[in-house]
PDB file of all heavy atoms in Angstrom:
ATOM      1  N   GLY S  82      21.716   8.893   8.935  1.00 98.00           N
ATOM      2  CA  GLY S  82      22.334   8.869   7.622  1.00 98.00           C
ATOM      3  C   GLY S  82      23.482   7.879   7.563  1.00 98.00           C
ATOM      4  O   GLY S  82      24.215   7.700   8.536  1.00 98.00           O
ATOM      5  N   ALA S  83      23.604   7.226   6.409  1.00 97.00           N
ATOM      6  CA  ALA S  83      24.748   6.357   6.141  1.00 97.00           C
ATOM      7  C   ALA S  83      25.736   7.144   5.285  1.00 97.00           C
ATOM      8  O   ALA S  83      25.392   7.567   4.189  1.00 97.00           O
ATOM      9  CB  ALA S  83      24.299   5.103   5.396  1.00 97.00           C
ATOM     10  N   PRO S  84      26.947   7.381   5.781  1.00 94.00           N
ATOM     11  CA  PRO S  84      27.930   8.082   4.960  1.00 94.00           C
ATOM     12  C   PRO S  84      28.588   7.133   3.965  1.00 94.00           C
ATOM     13  O   PRO S  84      28.686   5.923   4.226  1.00 94.00           O
ATOM     14  CB  PRO S  84      28.945   8.571   5.995  1.00 94.00           C
ATOM     15  CG  PRO S  84      28.928   7.510   7.042  1.00 94.00           C
ATOM     16  CD  PRO S  84      27.501   6.979   7.085  1.00 94.00           C
ATOM     17  N   VAL S  85      29.022   7.682   2.857  1.00 91.00           N
ATOM     18  CA  VAL S  85      29.829   6.980   1.840  1.00 91.00           C
ATOM     19  C   VAL S  85      29.529   5.476   1.755  1.00 91.00           C
ATOM     20  O   VAL S  85      30.380   4.645   2.027  1.00 91.00           O
ATOM     21  CB  VAL S  85      31.347   7.213   2.082  1.00 91.00           C
ATOM     22  CG1 VAL S  85      31.696   8.645   1.723  1.00 91.00           C
ATOM     23  CG2 VAL S  85      31.787   6.927   3.515  1.00 91.00           C
ATOM     24  N   HIS S  90      30.757   6.519  -5.187  1.00 87.00           N
ATOM     25  CA  HIS S  90      30.636   7.833  -4.526  1.00 87.00           C
ATOM     26  C   HIS S  90      31.899   8.123  -3.702  1.00 87.00           C
ATOM     27  O   HIS S  90      32.371   9.263  -3.653  1.00 87.00           O
ATOM     28  CB  HIS S  90      29.385   7.883  -3.660  1.00 87.00           C
ATOM     29  CG  HIS S  90      29.234   9.169  -2.896  1.00 87.00           C
ATOM     30  ND1 HIS S  90      29.277  10.411  -3.501  1.00 87.00           N
ATOM     31  CD2 HIS S  90      29.055   9.421  -1.568  1.00 87.00           C
ATOM     32  CE1 HIS S  90      29.132  11.359  -2.576  1.00 87.00           C
ATOM     33  NE2 HIS S  90      28.995  10.785  -1.406  1.00 87.00           N
ATOM     34  N   PHE S 115      25.540   9.078  10.966  1.00 97.00           N
ATOM     35  CA  PHE S 115      25.390  10.464  11.444  1.00 97.00           C
ATOM     36  C   PHE S 115      23.902  10.754  11.581  1.00 97.00           C
ATOM     37  O   PHE S 115      23.071  10.020  11.035  1.00 97.00           O
ATOM     38  CB  PHE S 115      26.071  11.452  10.487  1.00 97.00           C
ATOM     39  CG  PHE S 115      25.505  11.474   9.087  1.00 97.00           C
ATOM     40  CD1 PHE S 115      24.457  12.306   8.746  1.00 97.00           C
ATOM     41  CD2 PHE S 115      26.031  10.640   8.094  1.00 97.00           C
ATOM     42  CE1 PHE S 115      23.938  12.314   7.454  1.00 97.00           C
ATOM     43  CE2 PHE S 115      25.513  10.638   6.801  1.00 97.00           C
ATOM     44  CZ  PHE S 115      24.465  11.481   6.484  1.00 97.00           C
ATOM     45  N   GLU S 141      21.530  14.509  -2.892  1.00 98.00           N
ATOM     46  CA  GLU S 141      21.914  13.102  -2.728  1.00 98.00           C
ATOM     47  C   GLU S 141      20.620  12.305  -2.722  1.00 98.00           C
ATOM     48  O   GLU S 141      19.825  12.436  -1.792  1.00 98.00           O
ATOM     49  CB  GLU S 141      22.676  12.885  -1.407  1.00 98.00           C
ATOM     50  CG  GLU S 141      24.004  13.626  -1.343  1.00 98.00           C
ATOM     51  CD  GLU S 141      24.870  13.214  -0.148  1.00 98.00           C
ATOM     52  OE1 GLU S 141      24.402  12.446   0.713  1.00 98.00           O
ATOM     53  OE2 GLU S 141      26.034  13.662  -0.109  1.00 98.00           O
ATOM     54  N   VAL S 142      20.396  11.492  -3.749  1.00 98.00           N
ATOM     55  CA  VAL S 142      19.189  10.656  -3.782  1.00 98.00           C
ATOM     56  C   VAL S 142      19.493   9.330  -3.089  1.00 98.00           C
ATOM     57  O   VAL S 142      20.566   8.762  -3.276  1.00 98.00           O
ATOM     58  CB  VAL S 142      18.676  10.448  -5.226  1.00 98.00           C
ATOM     59  CG1 VAL S 142      19.650   9.667  -6.086  1.00 98.00           C
ATOM     60  CG2 VAL S 142      17.301   9.758  -5.219  1.00 98.00           C
ATOM     61  N   GLU S 143      18.555   8.870  -2.265  1.00 98.00           N
ATOM     62  CA  GLU S 143      18.811   7.666  -1.453  1.00 98.00           C
ATOM     63  C   GLU S 143      17.523   6.875  -1.266  1.00 98.00           C
ATOM     64  O   GLU S 143      16.426   7.437  -1.264  1.00 98.00           O
ATOM     65  CB  GLU S 143      19.351   8.088  -0.067  1.00 98.00           C
ATOM     66  CG  GLU S 143      20.422   9.180  -0.198  1.00 98.00           C
ATOM     67  CD  GLU S 143      21.339   9.339   0.996  1.00 98.00           C
ATOM     68  OE1 GLU S 143      21.106   8.695   2.026  1.00 98.00           O
ATOM     69  OE2 GLU S 143      22.298  10.129   0.857  1.00 98.00           O
ATOM     70  N   ASP S 172      19.015  13.579   0.768  1.00 98.00           N
ATOM     71  CA  ASP S 172      19.915  14.002   1.843  1.00 98.00           C
ATOM     72  C   ASP S 172      20.683  15.205   1.315  1.00 98.00           C
ATOM     73  O   ASP S 172      21.806  15.083   0.837  1.00 98.00           O
ATOM     74  CB  ASP S 172      20.831  12.817   2.199  1.00 98.00           C
ATOM     75  CG  ASP S 172      21.898  13.174   3.220  1.00 98.00           C
ATOM     76  OD1 ASP S 172      21.728  14.174   3.943  1.00 98.00           O
ATOM     77  OD2 ASP S 172      22.901  12.430   3.298  1.00 98.00           O
ATOM     78  N   THR S 174      22.847  18.582   1.123  1.00 97.00           N
ATOM     79  CA  THR S 174      24.120  18.773   1.810  1.00 97.00           C
ATOM     80  C   THR S 174      24.781  20.090   1.421  1.00 97.00           C
ATOM     81  O   THR S 174      24.922  20.372   0.232  1.00 97.00           O
ATOM     82  CB  THR S 174      25.080  17.621   1.432  1.00 97.00           C
ATOM     83  OG1 THR S 174      24.448  16.370   1.707  1.00 97.00           O
ATOM     84  CG2 THR S 174      26.383  17.711   2.175  1.00 97.00           C
ATOM     85  N   LYS S 185      24.080  18.778   6.936  1.00 98.00           N
ATOM     86  CA  LYS S 185      22.960  18.028   6.366  1.00 98.00           C
ATOM     87  C   LYS S 185      21.677  18.214   7.173  1.00 98.00           C
ATOM     88  O   LYS S 185      20.708  17.508   6.962  1.00 98.00           O
ATOM     89  CB  LYS S 185      23.333  16.537   6.299  1.00 98.00           C
ATOM     90  CG  LYS S 185      24.451  16.253   5.283  1.00 98.00           C
ATOM     91  CD  LYS S 185      24.991  14.841   5.461  1.00 98.00           C
ATOM     92  CE  LYS S 185      25.934  14.450   4.336  1.00 98.00           C
ATOM     93  NZ  LYS S 185      25.241  14.020   3.108  1.00 98.00           N
ATOM     94  N   MET S 252      18.434   7.024   5.983  1.00 98.00           N
ATOM     95  CA  MET S 252      18.818   7.362   4.608  1.00 98.00           C
ATOM     96  C   MET S 252      20.070   6.538   4.318  1.00 98.00           C
ATOM     97  O   MET S 252      21.101   6.707   4.969  1.00 98.00           O
ATOM     98  CB  MET S 252      19.045   8.856   4.463  1.00 98.00           C
ATOM     99  CG  MET S 252      17.741   9.646   4.636  1.00 98.00           C
ATOM    100  SD  MET S 252      17.727  11.176   3.734  1.00 98.00           S
ATOM    101  CE  MET S 252      16.121  11.849   4.218  1.00 98.00           C
ATOM    102  N   SER S 253      19.945   5.616   3.359  1.00 98.00           N
ATOM    103  CA  SER S 253      20.888   4.501   3.259  1.00 98.00           C
ATOM    104  C   SER S 253      22.171   4.826   2.508  1.00 98.00           C
ATOM    105  O   SER S 253      23.040   3.974   2.372  1.00 98.00           O
ATOM    106  CB  SER S 253      20.191   3.301   2.628  1.00 98.00           C
ATOM    107  OG  SER S 253      19.672   3.628   1.359  1.00 98.00           O
ATOM    108  N   GLY S 254      22.311   6.054   2.031  1.00 97.00           N
ATOM    109  CA  GLY S 254      23.540   6.440   1.343  1.00 97.00           C
ATOM    110  C   GLY S 254      23.251   6.768  -0.113  1.00 97.00           C
ATOM    111  O   GLY S 254      22.229   6.367  -0.657  1.00 97.00           O
ATOM    112  N   THR S 255      24.171   7.529  -0.704  1.00 97.00           N
ATOM    113  CA  THR S 255      23.930   8.006  -2.065  1.00 97.00           C
ATOM    114  C   THR S 255      24.986   7.478  -3.026  1.00 97.00           C
ATOM    115  O   THR S 255      26.158   7.341  -2.658  1.00 97.00           O
ATOM    116  CB  THR S 255      23.899   9.553  -2.103  1.00 97.00           C
ATOM    117  OG1 THR S 255      23.171   9.977  -3.265  1.00 97.00           O
ATOM    118  CG2 THR S 255      25.298  10.167  -2.155  1.00 97.00           C
TER     119      THR S 255
HETATM  120 MN1  LIG P 301      23.737  10.898   2.081  1.00 72.41          MN
END
Side-chain angles (χ1 to χ4, degrees):
V85 288
H90 177 53
F115 62 89
E141 296 190 353
V142 65
E143 315 200 353
D172 175 20
T174 306
K185 292 168 171 280
M252 293 209 182
S253 58
T255 202

